[in-house]
Amino acid sequence: MEWLIAPFEVGFVQRALWGGVLVSVVCALAGTWVVLRGMAFLGDALSHGMLPGVALASLLGANPFVGAALSTGVLAAGVTVLGRSGRLSHDTGIGLLFVAMLSAGVIIVSRSESFAVDVTGFLFGDVLAIRDADLGVLAVAALVAIVVSVLGYRAFVALTLDARIAHTLGLQPGRAHAALLALITLATVSSFHVVGTLLVFGLLVAPPAAALAWARRIPAALIGATLLGCTATVLGLLVSWHAGTAAGATIAAVAVTQYFVSSALARLRDRVRPC
């Protein structure tokens, strides 16, 4: 059992484990609604849209979390404005903003030769470099995500079923949608330091999708997605330690593998289930 315990006796791996667990909580709470509402493209756009903010903050010596939050907030606000205009389809608006933000990020990066090495960490994450201060930020993010999920649960459920139902019940679908966007933004911003902007989409979508293949109720899906995300973190760190692979990418790969295994088992269950 030494191979199983040894990695987690090291300080930076312990911090990586706690960071991955906290990120799994945030991503599960936001990602379950992303999958249920078919908002995966928006989640992908937000995860990439933070790049210009992260790049600009790093060049100015500011906190990358602040830059990521501002950049993602701008994209989320833009999606809301374009969605209300009615001139473009929802996906078209997201696609245009996605390209605009990603292009801005690449332009900012290209203007600094010294930033070329650092950008790899922002794109693919560096979970093993998590500090105690980062854990504090992630703990606050997880607490906020839990509070928003509890307070907005009824509105999120009604919005997922039909916005008209939410309006009829007096749940204000516009505010519920804005709160959901804020929750997704929180998940992407808090996760990029662990798995990077390019891989955050994996933790946001894969564990909830895997859990929803088995869960019959939304609370069960939320809990299942959290457990799967935590499991992906543990297994990803183990594989990374022994195989010498990138930790963040390995965690994301395990999460995606969990989905395919879950999906395959669910199909097998449906085939053998008696009529």
Side-chain angles (χ1 to χ4, degrees), residues 37 155-169 171 173:
R37 295 200 63 206
F156 292 162
V157 172
L159 191 64
T160 299
L161 296 175
D162 193 329
R164 292 171 297 183
I165 295 178
H167 182 73
T168 302
L169 295 175
L171 297 175

Side-chain angles (χ1 to χ4, degrees), residues 1 9 27 38 53 55 71 79 86 102 108 131-132 155 159 169 173 175 179-180 183 207 222 230 232 252 255:
M1 295 295 290
E9 293 178 342
C27 284
S71 183
V79 169
L102 190 59
I108 293 172
R131 300 166 298 178
D132 291 335
L159 191 64
L169 295 175
R175 291 186 179 181
L180 187 55
L183 184 60
L222 292 168
C230 293

Side-chain angles (χ1 to χ4, degrees), residues 3 16 18 28 56 59 87 94 98-99 101 117 131 137 156 159 162 172 183 188 193 197 217 219 240 262 266 269 271:
W3 66 273
W18 281 111
L56 190 59
L59 289 176
R87 296 183 179 181
I94 293 174
F98 166 73
V99 173
M101 297 296 284
V117 176
R131 300 166 298 178
V137 172
F156 292 162
L159 191 64
D162 193 329
Q172 299 177 322
L183 184 60
T188 55
H193 188 57
T197 58
R217 296 180 179 274
S240 172
S262 175
R269 173 203 61 194
R271 289 181 182 179

Side-chain angles (χ1 to χ4, degrees), residues 11 20 24 38 49 73 75 143 156 161 174 205 259 263:
S24 297
L75 195 151
L143 180 60
F156 292 162
L161 296 175
V205 174
Y259 164 73
S263 180

Side-chain angles (χ1 to χ4, degrees), residues 19 54 59 68-70 82 91 122 137 149 180 182 188 203 238:
V54 172
L59 289 176
L70 292 175
L82 289 179
D91 285 348
F122 296 126
V137 172
S149 298
L180 187 55
T188 55
L203 281 182
L238 276 174

Side-chain angles (χ1 to χ4, degrees), residues 71-146:
S71 183
T72 310
V74 168
L75 195 151
V79 169
T80 301
V81 171
L82 289 179
R84 291 176 178 175
S85 68
R87 296 183 179 181
L88 294 173
S89 68
H90 189 61
D91 285 348
T92 301
I94 293 174
L96 289 173
L97 290 172
F98 166 73
V99 173
M101 297 296 284
L102 190 59
S103 299
V106 173
I107 290 172
I108 293 172
V109 170
S110 68
R111 294 294 298 171
S112 175
E113 296 179 0
S114 62
F115 191 65
V117 176
D118 296 334
V119 75
T120 303
F122 296 126
L123 292 175
F124 301 103
D126 191 1
V127 65
L128 298 179
I130 287 181
R131 300 166 298 178
D132 291 335
D134 298 326
L135 290 178
V137 172
L138 290 174
V140 172
L143 180 60
V144 172
I146 292 172

